[in-house]
Amino acid sequence: ETGVTQSPTHLIKTRGQQVTLRCSSQSGHNTVSWYQQALGQGPQFIFQYYREEENGRGNFPPRFSGLQFPNYSSELNVNALELDDSALYLCASSALLGGEETQYFGPGTRLLVL
Amino acid sequence: QQQVKQSPQSLIVQKGGISIINCAYENTAFDYFPWYQQFPGKGPALLIAIRPDVSEKKEGRFTISFNKSAKQFSLHIMDSQPGDSATYFCAASPLSGYSTLTFGKGTMLLVSP
């Protein structure tokens, strides 16, 4: 177990709705990254937060947004859900120690958009 | 644009055999190459990682081989066991401070008893 937790584990929404996914980082980790993993694909980077500021963003539209809180927990918000948003959403926490960074993934939230 | 290409897509190996998964990358800024193992219903778990200043790294039954000039790296699983049956992802990132991972599409490994 990595110590990274995510909630909920599963979620069903309809097209056009909004969703919020939550992640609690591993203790001592001040960076969180979110990834989208479509069925049968590798995870794709959505964005990263470091000390509550967005630190980088992948090729995802603005309707994907996030927050990081002072305790380093994080949220991923998706507005105007589309069918293609159905995927496993993973968060990963990490810390830079001695020049090395390792990302530890949570179990993910499985989102189904109908 | 797929920056990390992984092959094969699936692999069946007999128990005790060697499993080999290959990856190739394009971005010369990449300098950190981890492999992740993912079981159904779970998040990816770090297996082993390498930097390009070494050509090989071994941890137990898992070995990464790295060829910087060819921009290729591979995972070898020696003495493969049924418990190794999982999906394996190679990834790459620039190791300049905080970085993001670019993943391959994954290899589904089945180790037959």
Side-chain angles (χ1 to χ4, degrees):
Chain A
E1 298 297 326
T2 63
V4 179
T5 60
Q6 292 186 244
S7 63
T9 55
H10 297 81
L11 202 53
I12 300 175
K13 291 286 189 178
T14 56
R15 196 169 51 182
Q17 285 189 310
Q18 178 265 344
V19 69
T20 297
L21 311 181
R22 294 178 175 83
C23 172
S24 290
S25 301
Q26 184 166 324
S27 177
H29 287 185
N30 53 18
T31 300
V32 66
S33 304
W34 284 91
Y35 292 81
Q36 180 194 66
Q37 186 177 19
L39 201 61
Q41 301 293 315
Q44 279 199 296
F45 172 69
I46 303 175
F47 45 58
Q48 183 182 83
Y49 279 82
Y50 170 61
R51 294 184 176 177
E52 303 176 57
E53 296 287 330
E54 187 177 290
N55 192 44
R57 188 176 184 92
N59 189 26
F60 281 81
R63 60 189 184 84
F64 285 79
S65 63
L67 282 173
Q68 187 182 30
F69 300 100
N71 65 355
Y72 302 134
S73 65
S74 176
E75 285 183 356
L76 163 65
N77 299 288
V78 187
N79 294 320
L81 283 166
E82 300 177 359
L83 298 180
D84 284 349
D85 296 334
S86 296
L88 180 69
Y89 288 86
L90 298 160
C91 79
S93 73
S94 56
L96 190 61
L97 298 171
E100 292 238 359
E101 178 202 0
T102 299
Q103 295 196 15
Y104 296 93
F105 285 84
T109 293
R110 175 81 56 192
L111 172 65
L112 177 62
V113 182
L114 302 176
Chain B
Q1 180 187 5
Q2 185 187 354
Q3 296 191 51
V4 179
K5 295 184 179 180
Q6 183 172 347
S7 63
Q9 189 174 2
S10 62
L11 183 61
I12 300 175
V13 173
Q14 285 196 328
K15 179 182 175 181
I18 303 173
S19 304
I20 301 174
I21 305 171
N22 300 298
C23 283
Y25 64 98
E26 300 167 0
N27 189 344
T28 54
F30 290 151
D31 55 9
Y32 174 69
F33 303 90
W35 285 88
Y36 282 83
Q37 178 190 57
Q38 186 176 30
F39 292 104
K42 303 288 187 181
L46 179 67
L47 200 57
I48 186 172
I50 197 169
R51 291 201 198 182
D53 52 349
V54 296
S55 60
E56 187 175 281
K57 183 176 181 180
K58 183 176 181 179
E59 289 183 1
R61 296 184 294 111
F62 301 94
T63 299
I64 300 179
S65 297
F66 187 84
N67 185 330
K68 187 174 182 178
S69 60
K71 293 188 285 186
Q72 295 175 346
F73 58 110
S74 60
L75 175 69
H76 295 232
I77 305 175
M78 313 299 287
D79 188 26
S80 298
Q81 299 296 311
D84 297 330
S85 298
T87 299
Y88 292 80
F89 293 96
C90 62
S93 76
L95 196 67
S96 52
Y98 292 95
S99 54
T100 63
L101 292 168
T102 300
F103 283 86
K105 289 192 173 183
T107 296
M108 192 176 300
L109 170 66
L110 177 63
V111 181
S112 60

